[in-house]
Every structure is written in C-alpha cells, then in structure tokens.
Amino acid sequence: MHRQAILSGRAGRTALTQGFTGRLARGIDNELLQMLNKPGTGILPYPLQRGLMRSLALPAQKAGRSELLALWAGQSANLARCPGIQQLLQSLVEGAAERLNHGAKE
C-alpha cells in the first residue's frame, strides 16, 4: 500500500508531523496525518508514540486502509517512477550503457 501510494501520485502532497513517532517526520498527507496534526491532539514522547502507531498499523494494513497508515515519504517521493525491481534494474542497465556509449564517443 505504501508503494502504491507513492507511485499513484499521492506523495505529491506531504506534510510534517510528530504523530508517527513523537519526533518530527514527513509523510504522505492522508487522513491519519491530518488527524495527528490537528491542534490539541496529544502526542506521546518518542518511543511511546512510535509503539502506539505500530500497534494501530497492523489492523489498518489488514483492512487495506492506507489512509490510516503512517506513509513515510520525503519531499521528492512523488518523483519515484519504478513500480518493480525488474524495471529498476533495466533502467540502471540502460542508463549505464548510455553513459558508456556516450563516453566512448568523446
């Protein structure tokens, strides 16, 4: 679900929160992140908040509810374009071959 959220373009909107672990982190802006960032929401100190979020993640994951998962993502997560390992390896091989061919021409 995390990979799907990143590749679907939802990672274009990220936000900072202390709600994932009790420390500042960036994640995909979803229902969970918005609830955790509401003014007045109590956040436990690290690592207690992290433990709480981990125990909530299992039922959300089993139910297929990505909007209730802590979807960690950096500011550039929306630039990810690789849906699988085969495509990643192929793009690396093609990129290396292109650079080698370009360097041989110079």
Side-chain angles (χ1 to χ4, degrees):
M1 283 186 279
H2 198 159
R3 182 184 313 160
Q4 183 181 13
I6 290 172
L7 294 173
S8 72
R10 288 179 30 211
R13 288 188 35 208
T14 62
L16 294 171
T17 187
Q18 290 186 321
F20 290 171
T21 66
R23 294 181 177 165
L24 198 59
R26 182 174 293 277
I28 295 174
D29 189 15
N30 64 3
E31 184 178 342
L32 174 67
L33 193 140
Q34 290 173 13
M35 287 190 293
L36 292 169
N37 280 352
K38 280 187 179 178
T41 300
I43 303 295
L44 298 171
Y46 177 86
L48 298 174
Q49 183 72 17
R50 181 177 182 212
L52 174 65
M53 297 307 297
R54 289 175 103 185
S55 66
L56 294 174
L58 292 174
Q61 211 167 11
K62 283 183 181 179
R65 303 279 309 269
S66 65
E67 70 275 10
L68 298 176
L69 290 172
L71 299 174
W72 299 77
Q75 289 177 306
S76 300
N78 63 321
L79 299 176
R81 298 288 180 251
C82 183
I85 190 67
Q86 185 175 0
Q87 292 86 351
L88 173 62
L89 292 175
Q90 185 65 37
S91 69
L92 290 173
V93 168
E94 289 171 1
E98 185 178 309
R99 284 185 174 78
L100 288 172
N101 288 337
H102 181 71
K105 293 177 184 177
E106 291 179 5

